[in-house]
């Protein structure tokens, strides 16, 4: 195992984060605060409790998921796309390093950033609403698994994309709609029966439901399903990255 | 000398269908400096990239220090440093950070002392905290060399290290290469400047159209390149070269109106004076004289011709 390589990749990726720390942290804090002002205070005060949870608190897990998904994908995809774009990836491709170590460095850093941002959001939220976390370990598990698997997914997008448009395409056209329609801001029960069924095909529903359950013990689907879903997603992404490196997909001629 | 790098029957056809390398065979000894000489598009970069792991070979094998570059890529890549042809560097990193990054990437523990000395040797020390995008082209080239040497490789690839760099850097580069050779590093460089090959290489490989046409000791190749020809047009037509001129190894043209004398420009004496006197003594009249030198291009053309 080439640990020094994993370390320098990881630290190098994190350096960008620290260099733009204010930017990196200010935007999630401000947007979270805005969501709370709009949904929590202005609109939320007119919405009744969901499963005994105030609307303001109810949206916290969804809000965190929204940021985790978008941040993980954008950080990880940019992290690997940029060296590909500038050509500096030649160094990584010619180094004595395995695909797993490359992934560990890049995805590890992207996941760490998401984790930090998610924690900041949680902290910010706790100033606006009264939060309780019924199952802290489950919460941590979902939190960490989401950071890792969506950073992996972003990494794949970064490998696949050969221009900036493609880099933006999936987050914009796929992820954002799935998150908004995945019950970030409402419970599935609130939908008409047909839509409830359709929504179950949205994998993000399982994520948000499981995560929310770990806070408030209210869930749209069973927590085991949520866990299974995220593990399947994680392994699929891992398999895909492995295949990409094995075949040299868009990395080697 | 033991073989450090061995290329066997290596071919590469790109996805586009273009065959960039055809059945390359090459053995490189530990500690030698070999220049791959060839025109643009010859396949030099493809060859280097394949050995370094950036391009997958279509067929054939490469071993470095006895290890296969695909099945034992960790062992082979640890031994190799690569300075790419293009100035590919991140924009926002600092010189010091980027060489440390390279060293770590190749699995080495940090060694600030070695890296400080390396930067000093490459006249980069006072730029250690500069951002890469603020550096001139020549400085960037130096940074790429520092990155390639950061993990103390035993084999160094320099892909057109002096293309488009100023005279000063070129001189520095040759000095650096000389120093590395003294420390036992094997160096493979590509160039299309014959003088460069002449200046620093022990052996020269000529590559064109994806084929390695020849690999020879520099001195042998230079001898070919150093040859000049003197064509002497005669006043009369002759059927054979007079016996008194036998020692000059003249070749007679088909129509018998001229003879050609081949000599070495770098020899102490060219023998032209004695030749002209001998021709005069043989009673032949001179109509015209003309000298020509085989350029690298001619050599390529000749080689390609004799190959096919
Ligand atoms: N990625 C690629 N895809 C298709 N053809 C390529 C690729 N890279 C290089 N070539 C072609 O292969 C040939 C050899 O290129 P290269 O190895 O870069 O030559 P050199 O370094 O000697 O100038 C050229 O004709 C070039 O156009
Ligand atoms: Mg080239």
């Amino acid at each position: 195992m080439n640990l020094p390589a994993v370390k320098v990749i990881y630290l190098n990726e994190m350096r960008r984060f620290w260099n733009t720390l204010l930017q990196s942290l200010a935007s999630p804090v401000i947007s979270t605060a805005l969501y709370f002002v709009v949904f929590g205070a202005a609109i939320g005060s007119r919405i009744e409790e969901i499963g005994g949870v105030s609307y303001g608190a109810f949206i916290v897990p969804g809000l965190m998921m929204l940021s985790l998904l978008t941040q993980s994908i954008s950080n990880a995809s940019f992290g690997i796309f940029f060296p590909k774009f500038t050509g500096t990836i030649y160094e990584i491709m010619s180094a004595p390093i395995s695909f797993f170590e490359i992934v560990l460095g890049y995805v590890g850093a992207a996941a760490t950033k998401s984790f930090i941002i998610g924690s900041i959001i949680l902290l910010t939220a706790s100033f606006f609403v009264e939060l309780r976390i019924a199952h802290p370990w489950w919460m941590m598990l979902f939190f960490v698994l989401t950071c890792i698997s969506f950073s992996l997914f972003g990494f794949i997008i970064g490998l696949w994309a050969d221009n900036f448009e493609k880099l933006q395409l999936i987050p914009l056209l796929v992820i954002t709609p799935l998150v908004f329609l995945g019950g970030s801001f409402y419970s599935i029960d609130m939908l008409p029966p047909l839509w409830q069924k359709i929504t179950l095909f949205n994998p993000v529903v399982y994520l948000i439901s499981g995560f929310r359950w770990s806070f408030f013990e209210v869930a749209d689907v069973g927590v085991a399903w949520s866990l299974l879903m995220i593990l399947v997603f994680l392994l699929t992404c891992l398999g895909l990255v492995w295949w990409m490196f094995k075949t040299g997909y868009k990395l080697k001629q | 000398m033991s073989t450090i790098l061995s290329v066997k029957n290596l071919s590469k056809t790109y996805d586009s269908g273009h065959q960039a390398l055809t059945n390359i065979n090459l053995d490189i000894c530990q500690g030698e400096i070999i220049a791959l000489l060839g025109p643009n598009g010859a396949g030099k970069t493809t060859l280097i990239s394949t050995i370094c792991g950036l391009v997958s070979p279509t067929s054939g094998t490469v071993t470095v220090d006895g290890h296969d570059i695909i099945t034992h890529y960790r062992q082979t890549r640890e031994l190799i440093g690569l300075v790419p042809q293009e100035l590919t560097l991140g924009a926002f990193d600092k010189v010091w950070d980027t060489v440390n990054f390279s060293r770590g990437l190749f699995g080495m523990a940090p060694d600030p002392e070695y890296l400080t000395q390396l930067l000093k040797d490459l006249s980069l020390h006072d730029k250690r905290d500069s951002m890469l995008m603020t550096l001139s082209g020549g400085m960037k080239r130096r940074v790429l060399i520092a990155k390639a040497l950061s993990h103390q490789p035993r084999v160094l690839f320099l892909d057109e290290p002096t293309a488009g760099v100023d005279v000063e850097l070129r001189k520095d580069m040759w000095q650096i290469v000389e120093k590395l050779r003294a420390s036992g590093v094997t160096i493979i460089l590509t160039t299309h400047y014959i003088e460069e090959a002449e200046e620093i290489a022990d052996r020269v490989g000529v590559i064109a159209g994806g084929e390695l046409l020849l690999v020879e000791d520099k001195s042998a190749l230079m001898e070919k390149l150093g040859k000049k020809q003197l064509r002497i047009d005669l006043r009369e037509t002759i059927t054979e070269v007079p016996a008194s001129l036998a020692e000059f190894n003249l070749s007679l043209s088909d129509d018998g109106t001229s003879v050609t004398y081949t000599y070495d420009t770098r020899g102490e004496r060219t023998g032209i004076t004695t030749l002209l006197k001998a021709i005069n003594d043989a009673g032949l009249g001179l109509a015209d004289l003309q000298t020509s030198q085989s350029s690298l291009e001619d050599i390529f053309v000749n080689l390609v011709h004799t190959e096919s």
Side-chain angles (χ1 to χ4, degrees):
Chain A
M1 180 94 169
N2 185 350
L3 278 180
V6 176
K7 191 173 140 199
V8 291
I9 293 177
Y10 181 86
L11 293 178
N12 202 47
E13 287 300 297
M14 290 306 289
R15 191 164 52 223
R16 219 180 35 237
F17 184 74
W18 303 130
N19 284 348
T20 54
L21 190 63
L22 209 61
Q23 238 172 299
S24 312
L25 296 185
S27 86
V29 170
I30 292 173
S31 63
T32 309
L34 285 176
Y35 273 112
F36 277 113
V37 170
V38 176
F39 289 113
I43 300 175
S45 58
R46 312 213 172 165
I47 300 179
E48 51 194 283
E49 292 190 342
I50 303 171
V53 183
S54 79
Y55 185 70
F58 180 85
I59 63 170
V60 172
L63 213 50
M64 275 178 77
M65 278 290 162
L66 177 65
S67 285
L68 291 186
L69 265 52
T70 47
Q71 289 287 335
S72 299
I73 291 174
S74 84
N75 277 323
S77 62
F78 192 75
I80 190 71
F81 176 81
F82 201 61
K84 233 176 53 164
F85 180 72
T86 58
T88 53
I89 194 150
Y90 85 87
E91 205 179 11
I92 287 158
M93 298 306 294
S94 65
I97 177 170
S98 68
F99 106 92
F100 185 69
E101 290 151 359
I102 298 177
V103 169
L104 213 55
Y106 278 102
V107 173
T112 307
K113 292 178 208 176
S114 302
F115 187 82
I116 294 173
I117 290 170
S119 306
I120 300 276
I121 292 175
L122 191 61
L123 197 71
T124 312
S126 69
F127 287 109
F128 289 88
V129 291
E130 200 178 321
L131 276 180
R132 61 188 168 88
I133 302 173
H135 304 282
W137 290 111
W138 277 96
M139 192 281 270
M140 234 358 139
L141 184 68
F142 278 117
F143 191 2
V144 170
L145 282 179
T146 303
C147 292
I148 294 174
S149 50
F150 280 84
S151 294
L152 253 177
F153 186 60
F155 189 77
I156 291 170
I157 293 176
L159 283 177
W160 162 78
D162 29 33
N163 55 45
F164 277 98
E165 283 83 55
K166 280 193 180 173
L167 199 62
Q168 310 285 357
L169 205 65
I170 300 220
L172 201 68
L173 293 186
V174 182
I175 299 301
T176 311
L178 284 186
V179 178
F180 273 90
L181 301 177
S184 330
F185 300 110
Y186 54 84
S187 166
I188 305 291
D189 307 336
M190 297 159 125
L191 297 174
L194 178 66
W195 275 104
Q196 288 190 20
K197 294 249 157 36
I198 294 175
T199 302
L200 289 179
F201 287 100
N202 178 353
V204 178
V205 166
Y206 296 83
L207 269 186
I208 295 178
S209 166
F211 197 45
R212 189 175 283 137
W213 174 84
S214 68
F215 281 78
F216 310 122
E217 295 185 298
V218 289
D220 293 323
V221 293
V223 65
W225 279 108
S226 298
L227 189 62
L228 186 70
M229 217 46 180
I230 186 144
L231 288 176
V232 166
F233 184 63
L234 181 70
L235 291 177
T236 309
C237 290
L238 210 54
L240 209 55
V241 178
W242 175 80
W243 173 82
M244 282 172 139
F245 273 93
K246 191 175 151 66
T247 57
Y249 176 84
K250 293 204 181 174
L251 289 170
K252 255 190 196 188
Q253 273 106 24
Chain B
M1 271 278 173
S2 60
T3 304
I4 183 97
L5 177 72
S6 178
V7 180
K8 288 214 166 55
N9 306 322
L10 182 69
S11 295
K12 172 64 189 179
T13 305
Y14 281 111
D15 289 342
S16 63
H18 181 86
Q19 179 152 20
L21 294 176
T22 308
N23 202 29
I24 304 280
N25 283 286
L26 177 65
D27 281 327
I28 293 173
C29 297
Q30 178 136 12
E32 79 169 330
I33 299 183
I34 182 162
L36 296 173
L37 197 58
N40 270 331
K44 304 182 295 294
T45 300
T46 303
L47 177 57
I48 287 186
S49 302
T50 309
I51 299 169
C52 294
L54 303 175
V55 169
S56 320
T58 306
S59 62
T61 55
V62 179
T63 55
V64 181
D65 202 22
H67 306 290
D68 185 272
I69 55 159
I70 294 179
T71 55
H72 291 84
Y73 68 95
R74 279 195 204 263
Q75 284 93 328
T76 65
R77 292 184 192 175
E78 269 168 11
L79 299 173
I80 294 177
L82 166 66
V83 181
Q85 182 174 348
E86 311 292 338
L87 292 176
T88 37
L89 278 173
F92 305 108
D93 296 329
K94 291 181 175 155
V95 173
W96 181 249
D97 293 336
T98 199
V99 289
N100 273 282
F101 177 78
S102 300
R103 187 176 167 88
L105 208 53
F106 280 75
M108 304 278 279
D111 186 346
E113 267 161 55
Y114 168 75
L115 291 182
T116 301
Q117 189 55 45
L118 181 64
L119 291 190
K120 281 183 179 157
D121 290 347
L122 287 161
S123 315
L124 280 169
H125 190 59
D126 50 343
K127 298 271 187 213
R128 65 205 296 274
D129 292 320
S130 302
M131 257 201 236
L132 294 174
M133 64 177 173
T134 65
L135 300 180
S136 67
M139 279 295 168
K140 283 183 179 155
R141 183 72 64 185
R142 286 170 200 261
V143 174
L144 285 173
I145 297 174
K147 280 166 77 74
L149 292 175
S150 66
H151 63 283
Q152 293 151 285
R154 278 173 56 204
V155 180
L156 180 68
F157 287 92
L158 293 161
D159 199 355
E160 309 220 4
T162 56
V165 305
D166 54 42
V167 181
E168 190 196 355
L169 179 54
R170 186 175 300 191
K171 288 243 172 70
D172 277 7
M173 199 88 74
W174 290 351
Q175 260 173 16
I176 293 163
V177 168
E178 208 40 64
K179 241 179 116 169
L180 286 171
R181 180 228 286 277
S183 67
V185 175
T186 308
I187 296 170
I188 296 110
L189 65 97
T190 70
T191 179
H192 39 235
Y193 300 116
I194 184 78
E195 316 85 68
E196 188 157 86
E198 184 168 12
E199 182 81 20
I200 49 181
D202 301 316
R203 277 201 302 160
V204 179
V206 177
I207 180 168
E211 292 185 58
L212 189 59
L213 301 175
L214 70 91
V215 187
E216 272 186 41
D217 277 349
K218 178 180 66 181
S219 47
L221 189 70
M222 286 308 137
E223 209 162 275
K224 280 189 190 160
L225 286 173
K227 288 270 166 36
K228 256 184 132 171
Q229 293 191 318
L230 172 67
R231 200 178 86 181
I232 304 161
D233 292 338
L234 304 170
R235 284 197 189 284
E236 55 266 45
T237 308
I238 56 173
T239 51
E240 60 177 11
V241 179
S244 60
L245 301 177
E247 58 168 312
F248 297 103
N249 284 323
L250 301 179
S251 62
L252 182 64
S253 66
D254 291 341
D255 60 2
T257 58
S258 68
V259 291
T260 303
Y261 172 59
T262 306
Y263 61 98
D264 191 343
T265 48
R266 300 172 310 165
E268 254 171 50
R269 27 195 327 197
T270 59
I272 293 176
T273 324
T274 30
L275 171 65
L276 293 182
K277 188 164 175 297
I279 290 177
N280 198 28
D281 290 347
L284 297 174
L286 306 179
D288 200 4
L289 296 175
Q290 199 181 323
T291 66
S292 63
Q293 181 160 31
S294 43
S295 67
L296 190 55
E297 231 90 295
D298 293 339
I299 288 200
F300 283 139
V301 172
N302 271 338
L303 285 167
V304 175
H305 267 274
T306 48
E307 280 285 306
S308 56

